[in-house]
Amino acid sequence: MNNTPPIIALDFPSAQETFAFLKQFDGENLFVKVGMELFYQEGPYILEQLKKQNCRIFLDLKCHDIPTTVYKAMKRLAGFGVSLVNVHAAGGSRMMEAALEGLEAGTAAGQKRPSLIAVTQLTSTSPEMLQHELLIKTPLEETVLRYSKLAEESGLDGVVCSVHEAERICRETSPSFLTVTPGIRLADDKKNDQVRVATPAMAREKGVSAIVVGRSITQAEEPVSAYRNIVREWEGIKA
Ligand code: C5P
C-alpha cells in the first residue's frame, strides 16, 4: 500500500453512473472503493469491469457475522481479484481470524491474497452516540485503539479509522500495520454526515497509509480537478 493514491469511494447506485463518472478520468489508473450500494446492485460484474479499466479495488462490504459465515464469505471474495477487503472489528478476534483464514483458503496458488483490514468505529460515530446508544462507556479513542490491537493480534493487515486516531495507532502497532482513513474533506468542503473529518494534509502529517474520499470528489462540480487538489495535498505538493 506504499504510495497509494487517494481511494475514490464509488458510492453510486449503478454501473452506468459509475462509468459515466470514471469516463472523466480518461483511463487514468485509479484506486477505487466499491461499497454496499454499488456491489448489491451490480454484483461481481462491477468488479470485472473496473479491473478491465486497470482500477485497483477496495471492496468495502464491512462483513460482521458469526465466524463460519465470515470465513465462507471471505473465501468467495478472495476470488474477485480485489486488493483490499474489510470486516468489523466488533465481530471479535475469532471472527477476524476466520476472515483471514477464509481469504487464504480462497486465494489461488501464486496469487496475492487481498489485504484485510478491520473497521474500528465508523467515522460517523460520535462519542455521545457510543455512550448513549451503544452503551459503551469507554472513550471512543480507547475503543478504536483496543480494536486496532485486537485486529493486529488476529493477524489482520490494518484498520479503517479516522485520521484523529491514526497517529496513536501507528505508534502502538507495528510499522507495517495499515491505517486507512475515510472522513476526508478539503478545508472548505461540507462535512455531510461525517463527524470526525480531516483534510488530506492532516492525514499525511499523521502518517496514515491511505485516504478514502467520496463526496468531496464524486459530488464536486469538477470531480477531476477536486481529485487533483486532493492528490496534491495528500502528496504534500505546495500550491
Ligand atoms: O463521501 P465520503 O468521503 O464521506 O465517503 C466515505 C466513504 O468511506 C463511504 O463510502 C463510507 O461508507 C466509507 N467509510 C466511512 N467510515 C468508515 C468506514 C468506511 O466513512 N469507518
Side-chain angles (χ1 to χ4, degrees), residues 9 11 33 60 62 119 121-123 160 182 184-185 194 212-215:
D11 293 326
K33 182 172 86 65
D60 178 22
K62 299 188 182 69
V119 177
Q121 296 289 357
L122 295 171
T123 39
V160 185
I184 301 292
R185 295 288 181 270
Q194 298 282 18
V212 176
V213 191
R215 285 162 288 187

Side-chain angles (χ1 to χ4, degrees), residues 67-168:
T68 309
T69 302
V70 171
Y71 172 91
K72 289 177 183 168
M74 287 291 154
K75 199 171 166 187
R76 297 286 311 130
L77 297 192
F80 290 159
V82 300
S83 303
L84 190 60
V85 294
N86 60 2
V87 293
H88 268 286
S93 61
R94 186 61 209 113
M95 189 207 76
M96 288 193 274
E97 286 163 7
L100 190 61
E101 289 160 15
L103 277 183
E104 279 164 358
T107 302
Q111 295 291 308
K112 195 179 170 310
R113 124 173 121 67
S115 297
L116 175 62
I117 57 179
V119 177
T120 52
Q121 296 289 357
L122 295 171
T123 39
S124 55
T125 302
S126 65
E128 294 69 37
M129 184 180 152
L130 195 72
Q131 206 173 350
H132 301 301
E133 294 183 18
L134 306 180
L135 307 181
I136 295 173
K137 304 296 171 205
T138 309
L140 189 133
E141 229 195 84
E142 292 304 318
T143 67
V144 171
L145 191 66
R146 177 69 195 118
Y147 288 5
S148 301
K149 289 186 175 170
L150 196 66
E152 188 179 35
E153 285 157 22
S154 308
L156 269 64
D157 302 299
V159 284
V160 185
C161 61
S162 92
V163 169
H164 304 280
E165 295 114 19
E167 192 173 27
R168 199 159 158 213

Side-chain angles (χ1 to χ4, degrees), residues 177-198:
F177 195 68
L178 304 172
T179 47
V180 176
T181 61
I184 301 292
R185 295 288 181 270
L186 288 169
D188 42 11
D189 282 347
K190 280 197 234 124
K191 276 169 79 174
N192 309 106
D193 56 348
Q194 298 282 18
V195 176
R196 304 189 323 278
V197 298

